[in-house]
Amino acid sequence: MKIEITYPEPPRVSRWFELLRKVARWIFSFALVFAPGVNIVLGGKLWSLVVLWAMWTTWNVLLSPDIVEFNPISQIVKSLIHIVILLGLIDVLLVPGWASFVIPIVAAAALVAALIFFLTDVRQHRHNMMPLIWLTLYSSVAFLVVFFCQAEDGLADDRSGRRRLDTDWSRDCGLS
Amino acid sequence: MSTDTASIAGHKEMKKIRRKKATATAPELYMNTLAESEREIIDTYFQRLAQYIDLPKSQHEDMERDFIKALQYYESTGVTIEEATDRMALHKLGGFYAHPPLRWYSLDSAAKIYPMSMGYRRMSMFRLAVYLKEQIVPELLQIALTFTIKRFPSFATTLKRGFFWHYLDSTKRRFVIEPESGHPCKPLIVHTSGSQSFRVQYYRNRISAEFFHVLTDARGGMVFLNTLTAEYLRLLGHEIPEANGVFDIGAAPSESETRDEFRRFKQRRKGSGFRQGRALQMSGRLSRNRPCQVLHFELELPALLNLARSKGTTITGLMVALMFLACKFATEENRGDIRIQVPVNMRKFYDSRTIRNFAMYCGISLKLSEITTLEEILPEIGRQLTERSAQEVMEEMAVSTMNIVRSVRFLPLFIKRPVAATLHGFLGENAFTNTFSNIGAVDLPPQMAEHITKFDFVLGSGTVNRAYCGMVSFADTAVLSVTKLTVNPSFEDKMYELLVGCGLSPKVSGSVLYED
């Protein structure tokens, strides 16, 4: 069978990114089993969850670019969501007590960055509004959750405080 | 003193002229090369052009350059400025580039799966190409696309991600042609802002249009290609009427052309048609380049038709039977089913003007042991083709599609997407060995047909099937195109041998093997 070539010679395609993905996939697959295994054997805090989420973030944000809607705004929103969850996990599982202060700062910085991108080319980026709308929605939900949780805590503190006051007053009056 | 003043004034004037030259627009520079009488015509032309375009500055300038290049081409071929501006009459732009993009389109029910199942370097694409009798003039092809795209508003879109489904968002930009390079049907970049979901390419005497399946099916793609080619030929000075699948680019697009025709299938009854087991796959290591080769078997249509008639079957029946024999030869398995997917154009059952997806498919299946000789398998293939591509069966499948779409419509996309991608792997590609899509004969106005030699139709590759076949015929030529996903040449070698054995003597052309 003689083939007449009727297509131009294709240029050579660089495959470094494909190779990087392949290597990362192997490393991450290994860590997916190894990290929880070591964590279970050694016991203690659930650091392996933080490791797994950090790997997922790296894969999702850097090695597996979105195939639909890949623009600065969508990437900022995507990275922000991943990083906020990572910070939350570190706070809950490893070092507690700082996330409620840090996360709003990170989120505000990301929002400002997204807005700067938006304002650089409003005409083009008005078609990329959807991720910003979702971010607003997620933030609102997160705000409400945090607000109600803190209100509950405050109420509980308030109640325990009042009980303590009642006890102190009773003792002062020699009633107890 | 006065001499100094004059000298300073002269110097300032020179500086001003130099600055003006440096900031002169492309039309101004072009006009400097023209005679006085022509300059006036062009000046008016570009002033009017500015009224038709409301795009970002860089795109506006690029579009002006496109028109200048076309005018320069006309000038080089001896066409007068009046004639050139008449052929490129600006009313053909309509209001498309002046209006802001406001519309959006939900994906039709058949297209919903494509963005969910696509992956890195993997996309459902197809390509239609027309071969003219003369070399393509890129300058005019660009203008033809600029004029044609407004007639296809659902093509002038960018794929976006919603909360429940993907959708197509209108985009206004300069849609560009490009010289062919790289693999045919290579994935498009659809993720950037305003990116297009189709590409128009040229090479020697060939114009090809490659589409991401979310936009349209082969029938809709063919209408686009024919309309584009007709406009290109008009720019070359030929009189081409708007008929036989060539849209009038001056007419307003109708709602019926962008309608999701699957919505006509209500939840009348339980659908069926997707439950199929795994099919055998042809042997050969899957290539990293997808596709790794495209081959075209050019056949004489009258001879092919006569052969099919003499065997008591259709061209589709005959080609599917030959493919079964070639697939059997190309697999090392010794038991199992070979199943060939045959897309069915639903427009033949329903009166529809849509240029979006409106096709279903049927699976023609034979056990490996049943594949013996052409004469023995033809009756069974004919029977299955008649039964499984019948209107009732296709309708049931369309109802199934709608049932699936309706049942998952309120699931968020981030949940739906991984599930759909996995299911598509099981229900889609693994269920078939090969695909044969025959879009039949292309009918064109005679004034246009005389400038065309042939068409070809290439199916993009998937992930598992080693070959995909598409066929289209025009005038006395039928072209069978084989898209390959493996270096192993067994399938096409056997197809060639079988076609020669039937007395068809195909002329084979195609690409080099893209394998590194």
Side-chain angles (χ1 to χ4, degrees):
Chain A
M1 185 170 72
K2 197 172 170 237
I3 302 168
E4 185 199 343
I5 302 300
T6 53
Y7 287 84
E9 186 74 29
R12 280 198 101 65
V13 182
S14 166
R15 295 201 177 273
W16 70 267
F17 190 63
E18 219 167 297
L19 189 72
L20 182 70
R21 272 166 62 94
K22 211 178 219 176
V23 172
R25 197 179 289 146
W26 275 105
I27 294 170
F28 290 173
S29 304
F30 174 72
L32 187 69
V33 181
F34 190 72
V38 172
N39 197 179
I40 290 165
V41 171
L42 295 180
K45 290 178 175 173
L46 278 174
W47 55 265
S48 59
L49 269 181
V50 176
V51 172
L52 293 183
W53 186 262
M55 284 193 315
W56 177 243
T57 302
T58 310
W59 177 259
N60 232 349
V61 175
L62 299 175
L63 297 169
S64 179
D66 287 340
I67 37 185
V68 179
E69 275 198 67
F70 182 85
N71 54 64
I73 295 175
S74 72
Q75 292 317 292
I76 287 172
V77 172
K78 183 176 159 182
S79 309
L80 174 66
I81 292 167
H82 279 83
I83 288 167
V84 163
I85 294 174
L86 184 65
L87 293 176
L89 280 174
I90 295 172
D91 182 87
V92 172
L93 300 172
L94 303 179
V95 192
W98 50 271
S100 59
F101 175 68
V102 171
I103 288 174
I105 295 171
V106 172
L111 197 62
V112 168
L115 277 173
I116 288 169
F117 271 112
F118 181 74
L119 293 172
T120 51
D121 191 350
V122 178
R123 190 176 176 149
Q124 187 179 334
H125 286 310
R126 69 183 171 191
H127 291 278
N128 303 327
M129 285 282 284
M130 197 62 106
L132 270 180
I133 294 170
W134 290 123
L135 179 64
T136 313
L137 195 74
Y138 298 143
S139 308
S140 307
V141 172
F143 171 77
L144 288 174
V145 169
V146 171
F147 179 78
F148 282 113
C149 287
Q150 289 201 341
E152 279 283 307
D153 288 350
L155 207 63
D157 289 348
D158 213 24
R159 277 188 197 133
S160 63
R162 192 172 294 158
R163 260 200 305 276
R164 213 168 34 243
L165 276 175
D166 289 348
T167 325
D168 292 347
W169 180 79
S170 311
R171 200 174 41 230
D172 290 347
C173 297
L175 294 172
S176 56
Chain B
M1 184 76 175
S2 62
T3 328
D4 283 354
T5 319
S7 134
I8 290 166
H11 187 66
K12 272 185 180 169
E13 192 63 27
M14 282 298 287
K15 249 184 163 178
K16 215 171 166 184
I17 291 168
R18 243 183 257 141
R19 202 180 303 133
K20 201 176 172 190
K21 237 181 187 174
T23 56
T25 60
E28 282 169 353
L29 290 172
Y30 171 60
M31 276 189 289
N32 289 342
T33 66
L34 300 174
E36 191 62 41
S37 58
E38 292 173 333
R39 207 176 289 171
E40 201 173 310
I41 297 170
I42 294 300
D43 192 28
T44 318
Y45 185 79
F46 279 99
Q47 276 177 22
R48 283 199 63 219
L49 178 64
Q51 295 173 350
Y52 281 96
I53 307 170
D54 180 22
L55 295 177
K57 197 176 170 218
S58 62
Q59 294 204 23
H60 188 129
E61 286 171 358
D62 285 345
M63 209 178 242
E64 277 181 343
R65 260 180 233 119
D66 291 341
F67 279 90
I68 290 166
K69 280 181 191 167
L71 286 165
Q72 283 170 336
Y73 168 77
Y74 280 131
E75 201 183 344
S76 70
T77 53
V79 177
T80 61
I81 288 282
E82 288 86 353
E83 172 68 18
T85 49
D86 196 38
R87 286 189 200 171
M88 296 196 297
L90 292 173
H91 67 81
K92 289 183 180 179
L93 289 169
F96 181 78
Y97 298 98
H99 300 160
L102 298 174
R103 287 198 67 176
W104 65 277
Y105 303 85
S106 59
L107 296 186
D108 59 73
S109 303
K112 284 187 162 62
I113 188 72
Y114 297 122
M116 289 198 279
S117 61
M118 74 178 178
Y120 181 69
R121 290 198 174 191
R122 182 161 44 85
M123 190 183 257
S124 294
M125 300 277 298
F126 67 92
R127 167 187 171 119
L128 292 158
V130 57
Y131 294 73
L132 303 188
K133 287 183 179 161
E134 284 171 20
Q135 296 276 313
I136 304 300
V137 181
E139 293 85 354
L140 298 191
L141 185 60
Q142 177 61 61
I143 300 297
L145 179 61
T146 302
F147 287 156
T148 307
I149 191 66
K150 72 171 195 299
R151 186 64 184 81
F152 297 84
S154 61
F155 289 18
T157 50
T158 299
L159 186 66
K160 293 276 180 181
R161 203 169 37 203
F163 189 70
F164 295 112
W165 298 107
H166 291 92
Y167 65 98
L168 296 169
D169 192 22
S170 282
T171 183
K172 295 289 169 77
R173 53 168 287 180
R174 169 180 168 260
F175 289 86
V176 285
I177 60 158
E178 49 192 72
E180 267 185 39
S181 69
H183 313 226
C185 287
K186 68 179 173 199
L188 284 155
I189 294 168
V190 292
H191 59 242
T192 53
S193 296
S195 54
Q196 54 193 69
S197 302
F198 72 96
R199 65 163 79 92
V200 174
Q201 296 184 314
Y202 61 92
Y203 183 66
R204 292 179 185 164
N205 63 334
R206 178 173 60 212
I207 302 172
S208 50
E210 295 183 354
F211 302 91
F212 183 21
H213 236 311
V214 290
L215 288 189
T216 184
D217 58 11
R219 188 54 63 179
M222 189 57 91
V223 173
F224 175 80
L225 180 63
N226 288 344
T227 308
L228 175 72
T229 310
E231 186 51 33
Y232 169 75
L233 290 170
R234 275 186 215 113
L235 289 170
L236 279 172
H238 305 294
E239 287 289 327
I240 310 290
E242 291 93 13
N244 306 32
V246 175
F247 277 2
D248 174 6
I249 61 161
S254 74
E255 187 275 329
S256 61
E257 288 164 10
T258 51
R259 191 182 293 158
D260 176 7
E261 291 288 7
F262 286 91
R263 288 178 192 273
R264 65 167 75 214
F265 303 107
K266 306 284 178 212
Q267 264 175 318
R268 292 192 299 256
R269 61 192 153 166
K270 204 169 180 291
S272 66
F274 287 109
R275 285 180 294 276
Q276 287 166 119
R278 286 175 86 92
L280 287 179
Q281 296 302 328
M282 287 186 271
S283 303
R285 185 175 58 81
L286 287 165
S287 63
R288 283 199 296 177
N289 289 316
R290 292 172 184 172
C292 66
Q293 193 172 28
V294 171
L295 295 170
H296 304 291
F297 293 78
E298 202 176 310
L299 303 157
E300 282 179 24
L301 186 61
L304 182 65
L305 203 58
N306 286 339
L307 178 69
R309 280 180 187 151
S310 71
K311 306 257 181 214
T313 185
T314 58
I315 290 179
T316 302
L318 177 70
M319 296 311 295
V320 170
L322 294 174
M323 280 171 65
F324 267 107
L325 295 168
C327 285
K328 183 182 180 180
F329 180 78
T331 183
E332 283 175 353
E333 305 285 337
N334 50 18
R335 57 183 181 161
D337 290 356
I338 287 183
R339 192 174 299 121
I340 295 177
Q341 185 183 36
V342 181
V344 179
N345 179 16
M346 298 292 276
R347 293 170 187 84
K348 70 181 184 183
F349 303 126
Y350 304 96
D351 182 29
S352 170
R353 281 176 52 79
T354 191
I355 51 166
R356 301 183 73 189
N357 287 289
F358 194 35
M360 284 277 100
Y361 64 84
C362 65
I364 310 299
S365 176
L366 287 179
K367 287 197 185 310
L368 208 54
S369 56
E370 292 168 355
I371 304 168
T372 49
T373 62
L374 183 63
E375 280 69 23
E376 280 181 27
I377 62 173
L378 267 174
E380 175 59 17
I381 288 168
R383 186 190 65 77
Q384 287 192 28
L385 266 175
T386 314
E387 280 178 11
R388 295 181 186 179
S389 65
Q391 183 174 358
E392 200 173 294
V393 182
M394 290 297 100
E395 208 170 295
E396 279 179 11
M397 197 180 231
V399 169
S400 284
T401 307
M402 287 309 293
N403 287 349
I404 294 170
V405 168
R406 284 194 189 105
S407 59
V408 297
R409 70 191 143 164
F410 294 124
L411 270 182
L413 191 59
F414 66 86
I415 297 175
K416 239 176 332 212
R417 195 174 168 266
V419 177
T422 314
L423 283 178
H424 185 254
F426 286 116
L427 294 173
E429 281 217 55
N430 283 317
F432 298 100
T433 311
N434 202 329
T435 300
F436 177 67
S437 181
N438 183 6
I439 54 174
V442 181
D443 187 23
L444 291 174
Q447 297 92 323
M448 187 175 166
E450 68 188 52
H451 301 285
I452 292 168
T453 53
K454 62 178 178 179
F455 281 83
D456 70 45
F457 170 39
V458 177
L459 288 175
S461 58
T463 48
V464 180
N465 295 174
R466 268 55 170 190
Y468 301 81
C469 301
M471 192 174 202
V472 61
S473 44
F474 173 73
D476 284 345
T477 310
V479 178
L480 170 75
S481 303
V482 181
T483 311
K484 291 188 58 206
L485 209 61
T486 178
V487 176
N488 185 348
S490 313
F491 175 75
E492 63 268 23
D493 280 353
K494 189 66 184 175
M495 270 308 274
Y496 181 77
E497 188 189 314
L498 289 165
L499 289 166
V500 171
C502 291
L504 289 171
S505 58
K507 200 175 124 192
V508 187
S509 60
S511 69
V512 291
L513 194 64
Y514 307 125
E515 188 63 353
D516 43 29

